[in-house]
């Protein structure tokens, strides 16, 4: 039921402010950014008495925040262990051409996004992609589109691939890590292939006419330092009287040089031993980081609590680092965690207005996952909301509706509905540049890159995003069980 008219209006205003700042974080009249906009929306929900402070605190899902924090810390330590550097090198290793490079970017971006979140993958891999584009002397548009779109598609495969999946797994209570991945993996794999094919077809002529330049590798030969000494009292007049003095000075210099050479040789041996020891410690530490990552993934596949597993893996990496963890913890995106806190409160306040329930009551008779028409209507609703309200609030709003439908739906149909929500809300981020944070990350990174500054405009993205999103979503819906 709709709440009182005053609360409906005030709650809608608070949510509208949150939405505008979330989608357009630098609006001229209030350029405070997404995180501050989220907190402002949450504050207005309390000030307008839509929520009391206790309800506002209760709206924050600590389990999701813990899972986000844990996965971000693990990603930071994997980056320190050169995981993403190895992935970046794989992109150009023995590449046979631009089409091969596009396919590699799609695969690497999707796999890394499924394991380390799409935002993290885009932050790290964008620089590698731009560096390759500079070395090949090509416009990076196709490479950037491959990176961003594949990151969104790949992140749909696992609960830790993006925040939307985290919300769905936690809020539904129906999925383990393995069961969610089993339901989403076929659609992700086929969608990834289709997305790559659409990229190749749309840009085939451009990719075919590009000259495949050899990678510019600068080889530097390291030469040992040469010690040379010029006697200070060397006279240039050539008098024979100075010959004995010069000979004595030369012998003295020779003795001094041999002694110095001996000391340098001993020091270099000590440095070599120290460097070897340091290298072994680094290799051992990297091995431990990768083992912790594998252990975390195995634990998640075994069905252990995801937030506890992720935070446990993060703490294990901090302890294994055996040093001050502050530099690593400072790389965690606390602004994202704060944004989620404000968003949880704002969406809960909007729920209290009764508007989402009224809209759902109007459309739910058309949304039946047992028929193709019902699935299409549900997908269309998710697609429109994800590109207007933004995808995470869409998941929170529609997720609450699905949770209320437990009594009227079978367990299989309910799981299918949650998976459709996960699939469409994730892939719909490819529709436009504003549809996903991963798209914006790639765009902003490319615009200010020291390697090759490039502006991926809204329209350039839209020309590829619309056909790719529609095809990938449609085919993926047929594979979700």
């Amino acid at each position: 039921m709709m709440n009182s008219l005053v609360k409906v209006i005030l709650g809608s205003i608070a949510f509208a402010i949150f939405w505008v700042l979330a989608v357009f974080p630098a609006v001229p009249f209030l350029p405070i950014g997404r995180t501050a906009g989220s907190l402002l929306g949450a504050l207005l929900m309390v000030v307008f008495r839509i929520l009391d402070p206790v309800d506002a605190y209760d709206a924050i899902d600590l389990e999701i925040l813990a899972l986000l924090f844990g996965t971000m810390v693990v990603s930071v330590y994997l980056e320190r262990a050169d995981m993403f550097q190895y992935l970046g090198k794989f992109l150009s290793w023995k590449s046979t051409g631009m089409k091969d490079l596009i396919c590699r970017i799609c695969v690497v971006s999707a796999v890394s996004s499924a394991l380390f979140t799409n935002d993290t993958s885009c932050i790290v891999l964008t620089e590698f992609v731009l560096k390759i584009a500079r070395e090949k002397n090509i416009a990076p548009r196709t490479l950037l589109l491959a990176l961003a779109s594949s990151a969104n598609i790949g992140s749909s495969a696992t609960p830790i691939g993006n925040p939307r999946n985290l919300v769905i797994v936690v809020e539904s209570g129906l999925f383990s890590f393995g069961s969610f991945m089993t339901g989403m993996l076929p659609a992700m794999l086929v969608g990834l292939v289709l997305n790559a094919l659409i990229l190749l077809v749309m840009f085939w002529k451009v990719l075919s006419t590009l000259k495949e330049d050899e990678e510019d590798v600068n080889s530097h030969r390291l030469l040992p330092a040469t010690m040379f000494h010029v006697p200070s009292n060397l006279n240039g007049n050539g008098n024979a009287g100075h010959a004995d003095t010069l000979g004595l000075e030369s012998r003295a210099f020779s003795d001094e040089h041999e002694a110095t050479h001996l000391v340098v040789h001993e020091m270099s041996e000590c440095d070599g031993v120290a460097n070897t020891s340091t290298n072994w410690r680094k290799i051992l530490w990297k091995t431990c980081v990768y083992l912790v990552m594998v252990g975390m993934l195995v634990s998640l596949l075994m069905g252990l609590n995801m937030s506890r597993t992720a935070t446990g893996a993060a703490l294990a990496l901090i302890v294994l680092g055996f040093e001050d963890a502050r530099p690593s913890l400072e790389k965690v995106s606390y602004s994202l965690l704060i944004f989620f806190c404000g968003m949880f409160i704002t969406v809960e306040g909007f729920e209290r207005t009764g508007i989402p329930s009224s809209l759902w009551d109007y459309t739910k008779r058309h949304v039946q996952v047992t028929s193709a028409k019902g699935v299409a209507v549900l997908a269309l609703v998710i697609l429109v909301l994800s590109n207007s309200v933004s995808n995470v609030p869409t998941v929170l709003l529609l997720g609450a509706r699905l949770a209320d439908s437990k009594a009227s739906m079978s367990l299989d149909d309910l799981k299918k509905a949650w998976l459709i929500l996960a699939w469409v809300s994730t892939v719909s981020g490819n529709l436009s540049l504003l549809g996903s944070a991963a798209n914006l990350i790639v765009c902003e990174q490319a615009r200010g890159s020291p390697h090759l500054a490039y502006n991926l405009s809204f329209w350039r993205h839209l020309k590829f995003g619309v056909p790719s999103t529609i095809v990938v979503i449609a085919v993926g819906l047929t594979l979700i069980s």
Side-chain angles (χ1 to χ4, degrees), residues 455-467:
N455 181 25
L456 181 62
S457 67
F458 180 87
W459 296 109
R460 285 174 178 172
H461 186 283
L462 194 68
K463 290 177 182 178
F464 163 75
V466 171

Side-chain angles (χ1 to χ4, degrees), residues 178-214:
S179 62
F180 182 89
M181 189 171 70
T182 301
M184 297 295 292
L185 193 58
M188 187 278 280
L189 293 175
V190 174
L192 183 64
V193 173
L194 288 173
N195 184 68
L197 288 175
I198 293 172
L199 269 169
L200 293 175
V201 170
M202 290 187 67
F203 299 100
W204 184 271
K205 186 176 180 180
V206 176
L207 296 174
S208 298
T209 56
L210 289 173
K211 293 182 179 180
E212 307 299 340
D213 298 330
E214 293 291 331

Side-chain angles (χ1 to χ4, degrees), residues 16-344:
I17 291 174
F18 159 77
W19 176 80
V20 170
L21 294 176
V23 178
F24 308 103
V27 290
F29 62 88
L30 199 62
I32 61 176
R34 290 188 178 88
T35 301
S38 171
L39 291 177
L40 178 60
L43 177 64
L44 291 177
M45 288 295 182
V46 176
V47 171
F48 292 158
R49 296 180 180 273
I50 309 299
L51 295 172
D52 60 50
V54 175
D55 291 337
Y57 283 118
D58 290 340
I60 299 174
D61 197 319
L62 295 178
E63 188 171 3
I64 293 176
L65 294 180
L67 186 52
L68 275 173
F69 174 78
T71 53
M72 283 191 287
V73 172
V74 172
S75 296
V76 169
Y77 277 89
L78 286 172
E79 184 179 356
R80 283 184 55 193
D82 298 331
M83 169 69 80
F84 293 98
Q85 185 175 349
Y86 298 146
L87 291 176
K89 289 181 178 179
F90 172 74
L91 293 179
S92 58
W93 180 69
K94 293 186 179 180
S95 177
T96 59
M98 291 305 303
K99 302 177 186 68
D100 172 52
L101 182 60
I102 291 293
C103 295
R104 290 191 189 201
I105 291 175
C106 291
V107 173
V108 170
S109 177
V111 172
S112 60
S113 296
L115 298 178
F116 315 120
T117 76
N118 54 350
D119 294 351
T120 300
S121 298
C122 288
I123 289 173
V124 179
L125 294 178
T126 299
E127 291 300 323
F128 289 105
V129 167
L130 292 172
K131 185 178 179 181
I132 293 172
R134 185 188 65 180
E135 292 172 348
K136 299 289 186 181
N137 194 27
I138 61 173
R141 177 178 62 170
T142 312
L143 307 184
L144 295 175
L145 288 173
L147 174 62
S149 60
S150 300
N152 287 325
I153 294 172
S155 70
S156 66
T158 64
I160 60 176
N162 60 63
R164 297 173 293 280
N165 292 355
L166 296 180
V167 173
I168 287 171
V169 172
V170 173
E171 294 296 320
S172 68
L174 299 175
F175 302 98
S176 64
F177 186 95
S179 62
F180 182 89
M181 189 171 70
T182 301
M184 297 295 292
L185 193 58
M188 187 278 280
L189 293 175
V190 174
L192 183 64
V193 173
L194 288 173
N195 184 68
L197 288 175
I198 293 172
L199 269 169
L200 293 175
V201 170
M202 290 187 67
F203 299 100
W204 184 271
K205 186 176 180 180
V206 176
L207 296 174
S208 298
T209 56
L210 289 173
K211 293 182 179 180
E212 307 299 340
D213 298 330
E214 293 291 331
E215 184 177 357
D216 182 20
V217 180
N218 294 320
S219 300
H220 300 279
R221 186 184 300 275
L222 297 177
L223 298 177
T226 303
M227 296 185 65
F228 184 75
H229 175 72
V230 178
S232 60
N233 58 353
L234 182 62
N235 196 322
N237 58 12
N239 292 337
H242 293 283
D244 293 339
T245 304
L246 183 58
L248 291 172
E249 288 179 349
S250 299
R251 287 193 297 271
F253 167 66
S254 178
D255 294 340
E256 179 185 355
H257 176 74
E258 289 180 2
T260 306
H261 180 74
L262 181 61
V263 172
V264 171
H265 180 69
E266 292 176 351
M267 291 177 62
S268 62
E269 285 184 348
C270 293
D271 290 341
V273 174
N275 290 335
T276 302
S277 177
T278 301
N279 289 336
W280 274 110
R281 284 200 299 268
K282 189 174 183 180
I283 293 172
L284 180 61
W285 177 77
K286 284 185 179 182
T287 304
C288 291
V289 172
Y290 297 147
L291 288 176
V292 170
M293 180 198 71
V294 172
M296 183 186 77
L297 295 177
V298 171
S299 299
L300 292 173
L301 289 171
M302 291 174 61
L304 299 183
N305 183 277
M306 287 190 291
S307 62
R308 296 174 188 172
T309 299
T311 51
L315 288 173
L317 291 175
I318 290 173
V319 173
L320 287 172
F322 206 69
E323 61 183 7
D324 186 2
R326 182 170 58 182
S328 297
L329 294 178
E330 286 176 348
K331 293 184 178 181
V332 172
S333 178
Y334 295 102
S335 61
L336 178 62
L337 299 177
I338 296 173
F339 173 82
F340 264 76
C341 291
M343 183 183 62
F344 284 136

Side-chain angles (χ1 to χ4, degrees), residues 440-457:
L440 296 174
I441 288 170
V442 170
C443 177
E444 293 303 316
Q445 291 267 104
R447 183 179 299 174
S449 173
H451 297 296
L452 180 64
Y454 181 81
N455 181 25
L456 181 62
S457 67

